[in-house]
Structure formats: C-alpha cells, structure tokens
Amino acid sequence: MADIKIVLDESEIPTHWYNVVADLPTTPAPYLGPDGKPVSPEAMTRIFPPALVEQEMTTERWIPIPEAVRDIYRLWRPSPMYRARRLEAVLGTPARIYYKYEGVSPGGSHKPNTAVAQAWYNKQAGIRKLSTETGAGQWGSSLAMAGAMLGIDVRVFMVRVSYEQKPFRRSMMETWGAKVFASPSTETESGRKVRAADPDCPGSLGIAISEAVEEAAANADTNYALGSVLNHVLLHQTVIGLEAKKQFEKVGDYPDVIIAPCGGGSNFGGITFPFLADKAAGRDLRLVAVEPASCPTLTKGHYAYDFGDTAGYTPMMQMYTLGHDFVPPGIHAGGLRYHGESPLVSLLYHEKIIEAIALPQLATFEAGVMFARAEGIIPAPEASHGVRAAIDEALRCKESGETKTIFVNLCGHGHFDMASYDRYFAGQLDDFAYPQEMIDAALDRLPRVDAA
Amino acid sequence: MADIKIVLDESEIPTHWYNVVADLPTTPAPYLGPDGKPVSPEAMTRIFPPALVEQEMTTERWIPIPEAVRDIYRLWRPSPMYRARRLEAVLGTPARIYYKYEGVSPGGSHKPNTAVAQAWYNKQAGIRKLSTETGAGQWGSSLAMAGAMLGIDVRVFMVRVSYEQKPFRRSMMETWGAKVFASPSTETESGRKVRAADPDCPGSLGIAISEAVEEAAANADTNYALGSVLNHVLLHQTVIGLEAKKQFEKVGDYPDVIIAPCGGGSNFGGITFPFLADKAAGRDLRLVAVEPASCPTLTKGHYAYDFGDTAGYTPMMQMYTLGHDFVPPGIHAGGLRYHGESPLVSLLYHEKIIEAIALPQLATFEAGVMFARAEGIIPAPEASHGVRAAIDEALRCKESGETKTIFVNLCGHGHFDMASYDRYFAGQLDDFAYPQEMIDAALDRLPRVDAA
C-alpha cells in the first residue's frame, strides 16, 4: 500500500501564514475595553509586542514567516499527513480517511507552531520574560520549549489541579527551563486574593489567565503569551492547513469534510482556514468543529461580548461563550475546557460557514483506543474528539456507500494523558452534558455592551 | 538554514534488512544448550517461528522485508534524520552533528522496528499469543502495539519495580490491548518460586525473561519474543542505518564517527551495521558503543559463554557479560541495564572493529537537558548516553579545530521518563561505577563450557 505517510521536504514549509480576516464575509467586531470602546493597538502593546498586535489587527491576506521562525519549525515541520488505511479497514468503510499529525513536535501537539512565533516576536521587541497560563500543560510546555530556544524566561501559571495530577507536564516545562507555579499562586495579587478566600481552591484556566496577565501588565520586561483564541494565534497555526493542501495535491485527493477538535479554536482554525477560500469559490466542502458535550461553547453558547478570563482583566470579545464565570466539569480533554471561543471561529459559525457538533466523553475515549490499535498513535483526549467525529462520518459512508474523503487534525499524542486512559479502562469516566438551563442562566451574567 | 530535517519518502523505506553475519571477519560462535552442544534450529522453534530461527542462523547478506511489515513501517518510517545545527551553535563546535530520531514511532523508540516483524512472522506461523518481558517498558509497549495491529495476544512480564514506578508505560500497553503482569508473577512456576522465597522481590529483567520463556515453552499456541541481543532482532533494526545512509547521500555528507547507546545491542547494531562494509572497504570510520558506567558490559565484562537470563533457561551465548546473576543498580536508563550483550556486537568489539565507552549517569542527564533546550526533543535516558558522547566528541573538535561529522542515534524520547528528570533536577541521582572486583568475582560464576 502506497500513500500511507505523505511527507514534504523542509523546503516546503510555508513561507507565509494565511490571514483569514482578508476573506471573511463581514468585518470582525472590535475588542472592547472596560469603557465599552474599542481597544487601541497602543493599549495592547502593554502586554504584547507591536508585531503581534499588528498581526492581531491586520487585514493583509499573507503574513511572511520570519526565517528564524521557519528554522525552528524545521525541527518538526512539515508534519506528516497520513492516509488511515488501517483504520478504514477496521471500520470497513468506503471512505478515505486522512489525518495530519501534529504530535511530532517536541511538545507533542500543534501548540509550538505559535509558541515559537510569539517568543521570537517578543525577543525582537526586547522582552526578557513571558508569562502565561496552562491547563492540561500542552501550551505551557510549548512556550517553555520556545523560550529555551530563544533565550526568554518563561513563567507558567498552571491550574493547580493539573499541576498536581499531571506532574510530568510540569517536569517537561522545567526540563526546558521554565518556572512553573500552581495557580492560584502567591506570585500575584489576584492569586493571593483567591487563596485568601479559598485556601484549597483547585484553580481554573480563568484564574490562571488573570495571574499571567497581571504579571505581564505590572512588569515592563514581561509580556503575556497565550495559546489560542486570538487572531494572531490562529494565524500562526495556518501552517498546518497550508501544508495539508500541498500534501493533498501530492496524493491527488481533496477533502469533502475537514474535522478538528475545537477548544479555543487554534487547532480548528489552523487546519481549516487555508481551505476556506476554496469553499468560498464554490467547492463543496464541510468544515466541522468538534467540542465536548460538557463544554458546548459553539453548539449551545451565546454569541455575545464577553471577557476572556474569569476576573475580567482581558478585553471583551464578540464570541460564542458559556459565560466567563463558567466552571468546566473535570473532563480529561483539558485543552477543550474553555468558556469562550476564538472570535474568528465564532464569526464563521455565526455566518453558518462552518458546522459544530458536541460529543460525549466516553465515545471519544472509545474512538481513541480504536485509533491506537489500528494506527499505532495514542491520541490525546482532545484529539480523540476529532477521531470520534471522523469515525462516525466514515461509518455513515459505510451505510450510504459514499466514498468521501474525510480529513481530521490529529493535534497531539496522549503520552501525558495515560492516567485518563487508565480511568477510562477502569470504568471511572462518565459523560456529562452541560445543562441548557445553566447555560441560559449565564446569559444574565454577561457584560452589557453595545457592539460598535 | 537548510538541511536541518532530512526526510525520505515512504517509497525509500528499505526493501531488505542487512545481515552483518555475511561480512564478519570470523564465524560467530554457536549458541549452546545445557549439554554444551550447539542448539539445533528445531530446538529453537519451540519458542520462535521457523522464519525467525532461519534469520537467526543465516549467512545471507540481504533478507527481504515482507510487504506487510513495510506497510506497518510506513506509519513512522522512514524516520527523520536531523542536522543538530542548534546544538552545534550552543557548543560552538566546528563539528557537524547529525542524529537519527526513532522517537517518532508510536512506541516512542526504535523497538517497533523488530516488534512488528516478529509479530508478523509469528502470525504467519499460526501463533496466537506472544509472551515477553520488559524493564523500562519500551520493548513491551512496542510488542503490544504490534500485537494490536496483527491480531496477536501479547502477555508482558514487567519487572515489578518498573510496573510500580512507571504506571503509564503499563497503561500504554493496555491501551494497545496487552495483558501486563508485575514480575515475579503468579502466572508461572518460576515466578511463583521467586515469590515464595521473597514475597517483596522487586523483580529483575532476568526473572521476567525466565517467566516469559517458561510460558512460551509450555504452551503450543504461544511463542516468545525479545527486544534485543539476538541476531534476528539486530537484523530488523538495520532499517535505521540503511535509511541513514540514504539520508547522508541526500545531504552530501558521511560520518567520521557513529555513536549509539548500547544495552542489548539492537540500537547500536541497527544504526552501525549497514556502515560496516564501508569501513571494511577502507573508509576511516569509528563506531562507538556507549554504555552506563554502572553496567559496563563491553568495557569491563568478560568475553565468555553465559546465559541470557538469571535462571539459565536460555541457551548459552558467547558474549561480553557481567555474569547472568548480575544485579544492575537502579539507574534510570532501564534499557541499558542488562548483564549481557548481543553476540554480534560482542564479536565486533572483541575483534576491535568497534569501540566502546562507559559514561556516568549524571553527565548523561546534563547532556539530555542541554539537548532538549537546543533541539527541542527531550531524550530518553538511554538516548542521552549517545548524546553525551556526541557532545564530548564535538567539544574535542572545538579544541582541535577539526570539522568532523558526528552521527548519533537518538533512539527514543523521554516522555515516560520525566520522573527521572525530576530526580535529576532535585539532586537525587548519583553516579555509580560498577566495581571491578565485583565484575572479577562474577567470572567464577560463569557456566563452564568448551566453545565449539
């Protein structure tokens, strides 16, 4: 069997990122400050370097990737694309299933694609320290790696419950030289406040973001970096989809449906955005975001202005949200536990250009195990959401006899998630669908603004 | 910077394994049974399929790789080769450092290269179950993966101390469907005997081998599989060196020295054997095996006949050995804790065709951290032995001004070894050099045989 692993040469790493803002049907709504007015670029440079603020705001279609960033990309890019022939055989489907595998990066996920870019632009701007938050640890470890390579100190606020349950993600960050704090920490005012109120607080992504932003805002030599949601983060991830287009060309195929797990949106945007122009030009192509039923931001959330963090330190963004005080249940796909959603992905969903589905946890683990036994790679629980959706699509093709081409982004491996596989095998995981009445109630707590 | 990641297309996966026995200066000594007579192929088929027994004995230079095995290889092969430009810059060396990265396999090391081949030949022979031992877990998980793909039940006897300290390697094997037992177990006579004598026995690789061999010998539908030492295992690993030769051609370079960690020898043999013919033809090429100072089989062991396991169930093999009752200290490079050594690697060392060095543990961890911060990839502790030796060689080049080409096999990542990095950072690891008098004393306990 040929065409199982479709590789590109390092010379084929994209030279530009693709900015979907250039091709949107409507202009994205501006970010708003506490006064309800659009946030100025100058205000954003308090915690971001000018080049990233520009990328956040620009409508240019193609943004050149600095050669120094491409040089680091070469360590794992181009990432391989696979035809999942063994999985197809197990399913007995006439569909062709392809996956792009981002787990080959040293951090084990797609996150280094933007971590390296962000660290590099900060370095150029004379920044010596970056502060950030991490939940499951994939983002924190990716930024730690980028910091090690570019000579920037990285300080990571890691949600306390993850800090304790995932000690090896912490070890990984420390191996790359980062300082890691269990959040809420004693390092920041916001952390100390939470600890005073609740000494046993297990932490949340919202609290950790507040700590990291506070530290960056308070120190001139320190900036803030984040792993998803914002435009410039999704921009950097478009290398995934751009490479995939070349790989499909090489193999003489083209997807009918592209599937990707969707938490903050960087993985979904990274793989789908470069295909959007083809769809706009009339190509029959479905783009499906997959989220957990326990955190159904797109499928059940409100399209409204909301904060990116619990404390309300960030600007307000127009996006799908479950409410910034949303407390996600303790599911194991930590990367998908976020109350909000990328404004760009939200806009595309609102405009009905993309689709979204929500899946229960157990079905995703079942799919992860099936994938591991067929294809070898053990997916991260986040990635298993995409795998489940791809399997379901392939099984529908089996019913109908359609020979569709299904493409899924396998965004990371599960090497640091084996404890959740253990719990799955021991029957200790359950399904939790976030109740509609709780979501409806959150509507009353959203900030009141008039969109510009 | 070009030529950082040197990739091959899947069509360039080797079609044949290279059998170094065809090119050895002397004939390898036969394996001996308990009666001191050469073991017959028939006797070996009690626990191995005929095709693997034939590979173990053959002097044919090229052995065709079955297409079904190549099809599974496509999931991670050809593995990438890298020019370590970032590490070179950190060291300030004029040397060129390359590494071949086997951590891209789903098992995270080079072990699946032989696991898949062994499982396939057993499947062809009608075998339904494979039993094996594992220490650190890299081999056991690789065979578990191969079993999942080929429909063979895999039963793994995992050294108890590792079973308890490395629960996630166990989870990984279970995700691929294997049954894992802490060894000594109650599954076998030899296991029960050890437990009766010492209920708290932490286990050893020697005991686990005895359990796995006993189970295979006692059940007609069960065979035994092992991850190193024997000729056919090293044969399968030559895909590494064969690919590397193509990759060097592609980049227009050739190594002056090839470095690889050496435990049972499969990693070292896999990368170096395909280069041996060039050396024999007069090319100035050094081949350096790196072992831990705490388990200095080649550098301090005896070249003699000895058993492969503690209980003496295996045939006797002429090899470098520290004595089959050798108890390795608890270092963290579990894959290098073996009393013996591949007979083929032993012969080459005895004939002074290859070199060997022994390194202390702390220096290898220091090198692993340096490598991670420069190149991104966090090496397994076994792999860090090669990295340390490569760094030392590169630093000597810096002194002398030589522009040597150094090539090292990065045999696996450290994702399941982060606890040992933690202990390194906490200052809890130490160096232990196995004392010469203990090694000398082992000589008296070697089996007495007259080599044929």
Side-chain angles (χ1 to χ4, degrees):
Chain A
M1 292 186 282
D3 294 339
I4 284 183
K5 186 185 180 189
I6 304 124
V7 294
L8 300 174
D9 187 76
E10 60 179 349
S11 64
E12 296 175 278
I13 294 171
T15 55
H16 293 70
W17 292 300
Y18 168 68
N19 179 21
V20 76
V21 174
D23 292 315
L24 289 180
T26 58
T27 310
Y31 302 161
L32 303 181
D35 55 359
K37 295 204 174 112
V39 176
S40 70
E42 293 68 37
M44 291 185 74
T45 56
R46 199 165 156 206
I47 57 169
F48 293 115
L52 291 180
V53 173
E54 200 188 317
Q55 289 181 5
E56 188 64 28
M57 308 271 184
T58 185
T59 57
E60 285 291 316
R61 184 171 287 108
W62 296 102
I63 311 295
I65 306 177
E67 269 310 304
V69 172
R70 288 184 82 233
D71 273 345
I72 298 183
Y73 278 177
R74 288 166 202 262
L75 295 176
W76 66 92
R77 304 216 70 83
S79 70
M81 188 171 92
Y82 289 90
R83 170 87 183 268
R85 289 185 185 268
R86 301 181 56 83
L87 180 63
E88 290 169 18
V90 168
L91 297 173
T93 178
R96 293 183 294 279
I97 306 174
Y98 294 86
Y99 57 97
K100 179 88 167 156
Y101 183 43
E102 291 293 308
V104 292
S105 80
S109 78
H110 65 297
K111 295 293 186 188
N113 298 331
T114 182
V116 167
Q118 290 188 50
W120 188 82
Y121 285 113
N122 274 289
K123 181 79 176 182
Q124 295 308 107
I127 288 296
R128 309 291 294 270
K129 285 186 196 167
L130 283 172
S131 71
T132 197
E133 71 287 336
T134 202
Q138 288 182 335
W139 165 245
S141 45
S142 300
L143 193 67
M145 184 199 80
M149 291 183 172
L150 290 160
I152 290 188
D153 291 342
V154 173
R155 294 165 62 84
V156 183
F157 293 91
M158 185 174 190
V159 176
R160 176 175 298 279
V161 61
S162 296
Y163 183 93
E164 283 159 8
Q165 283 174 1
K166 296 202 166 192
F168 298 151
R169 272 281 173 197
R170 176 188 49 70
S171 320
M172 200 178 195
M173 292 186 249
E174 289 171 353
T175 300
W176 281 317
K179 285 282 283 177
V180 187
F181 307 97
S183 168
S185 77
T186 56
E187 298 288 309
T188 67
E189 189 56 38
S190 52
R192 286 188 293 270
K193 211 176 276 180
V194 175
R195 288 167 66 103
D198 176 7
D200 298 324
C201 175
S204 75
L205 211 46
I207 296 166
I209 295 176
S210 300
E211 290 205 89
V213 170
E214 179 190 325
E215 196 168 74
N219 297 286
D221 68 342
T222 305
N223 264 349
Y224 170 69
L226 84 174
S228 196
V229 182
L230 294 188
N231 301 2
H232 70 273
V233 182
L234 274 66
L235 172 77
H236 301 154
Q237 294 294 358
T238 58
V239 287
I240 304 172
L242 292 167
E243 286 177 5
K245 288 188 85 166
K246 287 190 203 173
Q247 284 161 314
F248 272 112
E249 259 172 49
K250 204 172 165 186
V251 81
D253 207 341
Y254 192 94
D256 294 300
V257 52
I258 305 179
I259 293 166
C262 197
S266 78
N267 171 45
F268 177 80
I271 198 162
T272 60
F273 285 179
F275 288 87
L276 269 172
D278 295 351
K279 185 174 164 71
R283 177 148 326 232
D284 189 14
L285 168 63
R286 292 171 52 218
L287 307 172
V288 182
V290 188
E291 54 187 22
S294 54
C295 192
T297 317
L298 287 172
T299 51
K300 298 203 172 176
H302 309 286
Y303 190 51
Y305 266 99
D306 199 2
F307 295 109
D309 68 329
T310 310
Y313 286 3
T314 73
M316 290 176 282
M317 298 172 283
Q318 189 171 32
M319 61 180 177
Y320 281 87
T321 176
L322 297 167
H324 60 279
D325 56 356
F326 169 75
V327 179
I331 58 159
H332 285 270
L336 305 181
R337 286 166 70 195
Y338 183 63
H339 71 274
E341 182 58 71
S342 145
L344 293 179
V345 172
S346 295
L347 174 61
L348 288 165
Y349 184 65
H350 188 67
E351 297 285 338
K352 298 193 178 10
I353 294 167
I354 64 168
E355 305 166 35
I357 56 172
L359 295 179
Q361 177 165 256
L362 290 177
T364 64
F365 272 90
E366 184 192 41
V369 171
M370 189 187 286
F371 189 88
R373 292 182 184 177
E375 295 288 320
I377 297 163
I378 298 176
E382 292 84 355
S384 292
H385 282 70
V387 170
R388 175 81 257 176
I391 287 175
D392 289 345
E393 189 75 30
L395 290 175
R396 279 190 292 272
C397 290
K398 186 180 181 177
E399 289 284 311
S400 66
E402 285 172 288
T403 55
K404 275 187 194 168
T405 297
I406 300 166
F407 180 37
V408 60
N409 196 13
L410 197 74
C411 51
H413 61 61
H415 298 172
F416 293 87
D417 302 283
M418 295 316 302
S420 32
Y421 277 89
D422 268 356
R423 293 196 60 202
Y424 169 68
F425 287 122
Q428 292 166 358
L429 295 190
D430 49 30
D431 285 337
F432 176 86
Y434 206 70
Q436 189 62 49
E437 58 270 26
M438 288 174 72
I439 295 167
D440 293 343
L443 194 56
D444 300 329
R445 298 192 301 275
L446 292 182
R448 301 277 160 214
V449 294
D450 297 315
Chain B
M1 291 186 282
D3 295 339
I4 284 183
K5 186 185 181 190
I6 304 125
V7 295
L8 300 174
D9 186 77
E10 60 180 348
S11 64
E12 296 175 278
I13 294 171
T15 55
H16 292 71
W17 292 300
Y18 167 68
N19 180 20
V20 76
V21 174
D23 292 317
L24 289 180
T26 59
T27 311
Y31 301 161
L32 303 182
D35 55 0
K37 294 203 174 113
V39 176
S40 70
E42 293 69 38
M44 292 185 73
T45 56
R46 199 165 157 208
I47 57 170
F48 294 115
L52 290 181
V53 173
E54 200 186 316
Q55 289 180 5
E56 188 64 28
M57 307 270 184
T58 186
T59 57
E60 285 290 317
R61 185 171 286 109
W62 296 102
I63 311 294
I65 306 177
E67 269 311 304
V69 171
R70 288 184 82 233
D71 273 345
I72 298 183
Y73 277 177
R74 287 166 202 262
L75 296 176
W76 67 92
R77 306 215 69 83
S79 70
M81 187 170 93
Y82 288 90
R83 169 87 183 269
R85 289 186 185 269
R86 301 181 56 83
L87 180 63
E88 290 169 17
V90 168
L91 297 173
T93 177
R96 292 183 296 277
I97 307 174
Y98 294 86
Y99 57 97
K100 179 87 168 157
Y101 184 41
E102 291 293 309
V104 291
S105 80
S109 77
H110 64 299
K111 296 292 187 190
N113 298 331
T114 183
V116 167
Q118 291 188 50
W120 188 82
Y121 285 113
N122 274 290
K123 180 79 176 182
Q124 295 308 105
I127 288 296
R128 309 292 295 269
K129 284 185 196 168
L130 283 172
S131 71
T132 197
E133 71 286 337
T134 202
Q138 288 181 335
W139 165 244
S141 45
S142 301
L143 193 66
M145 184 199 79
M149 291 183 173
L150 291 159
I152 290 188
D153 292 342
V154 173
R155 294 165 61 86
V156 183
F157 294 90
M158 185 174 189
V159 176
R160 176 175 298 277
V161 61
S162 296
Y163 183 94
E164 282 160 7
Q165 284 175 0
K166 296 201 165 190
F168 298 151
R169 271 281 173 197
R170 176 188 50 70
S171 320
M172 201 177 194
M173 293 186 249
E174 289 171 353
T175 300
W176 281 317
K179 286 280 284 176
V180 187
F181 307 97
S183 168
S185 76
T186 55
E187 299 288 310
T188 67
E189 188 55 39
S190 53
R192 288 188 292 270
K193 212 177 278 182
V194 175
R195 289 166 66 103
D198 176 9
D200 299 323
C201 175
S204 75
L205 211 46
I207 296 167
I209 296 175
S210 300
E211 291 204 89
V213 170
E214 180 190 324
E215 196 168 74
N219 298 286
D221 68 342
T222 306
N223 264 349
Y224 170 69
L226 84 175
S228 196
V229 181
L230 295 188
N231 301 2
H232 70 272
V233 181
L234 275 65
L235 172 76
H236 301 154
Q237 294 293 358
T238 58
V239 287
I240 304 171
L242 291 167
E243 286 177 6
K245 288 187 84 167
K246 286 190 205 173
Q247 284 161 314
F248 272 112
E249 259 173 50
K250 203 170 167 189
V251 81
D253 207 341
Y254 192 94
D256 294 300
V257 52
I258 305 179
I259 293 166
C262 196
S266 78
N267 172 45
F268 177 80
I271 198 162
T272 60
F273 285 0
F275 288 87
L276 269 173
D278 295 350
K279 185 174 164 72
R283 167 116 27 194
D284 188 15
L285 169 63
R286 292 172 52 217
L287 308 171
V288 182
V290 188
E291 54 187 22
S294 54
C295 193
T297 317
L298 287 171
T299 50
K300 296 204 172 175
H302 310 287
Y303 190 52
Y305 266 100
D306 199 2
F307 296 109
D309 68 329
T310 310
Y313 286 3
T314 73
M316 291 176 281
M317 298 172 283
Q318 190 171 31
M319 61 181 177
Y320 281 87
T321 176
L322 297 167
H324 60 278
D325 56 356
F326 169 76
V327 179
I331 58 160
H332 285 270
L336 305 180
R337 287 165 68 194
Y338 183 62
H339 71 274
E341 181 58 71
S342 146
L344 293 178
V345 171
S346 295
L347 174 61
L348 289 165
Y349 184 64
H350 187 67
E351 297 284 338
K352 299 193 176 12
I353 294 167
I354 64 168
E355 305 166 36
I357 57 173
L359 295 180
Q361 177 165 258
L362 290 177
T364 65
F365 271 89
E366 185 193 40
V369 171
M370 190 187 286
F371 189 88
R373 293 181 184 177
E375 295 288 320
I377 298 164
I378 298 176
E382 292 85 354
S384 292
H385 282 70
V387 171
R388 175 80 256 176
I391 287 175
D392 289 346
E393 189 76 30
L395 290 176
R396 279 191 292 273
C397 289
K398 186 179 181 178
E399 290 284 310
S400 67
E402 285 172 288
T403 55
K404 275 187 194 166
T405 297
I406 300 166
F407 180 38
V408 60
N409 196 13
L410 197 74
C411 51
H413 60 62
H415 298 172
F416 293 88
D417 303 283
M418 295 316 302
S420 32
Y421 276 90
D422 268 357
R423 293 196 62 202
Y424 169 69
F425 287 123
Q428 291 166 358
L429 295 189
D430 49 30
D431 285 336
F432 176 86
Y434 206 71
Q436 189 61 49
E437 58 270 25
M438 288 174 71
I439 295 167
D440 292 343
L443 194 56
D444 300 329
R445 297 192 301 277
L446 292 181
R448 303 274 160 217
V449 294
D450 296 314

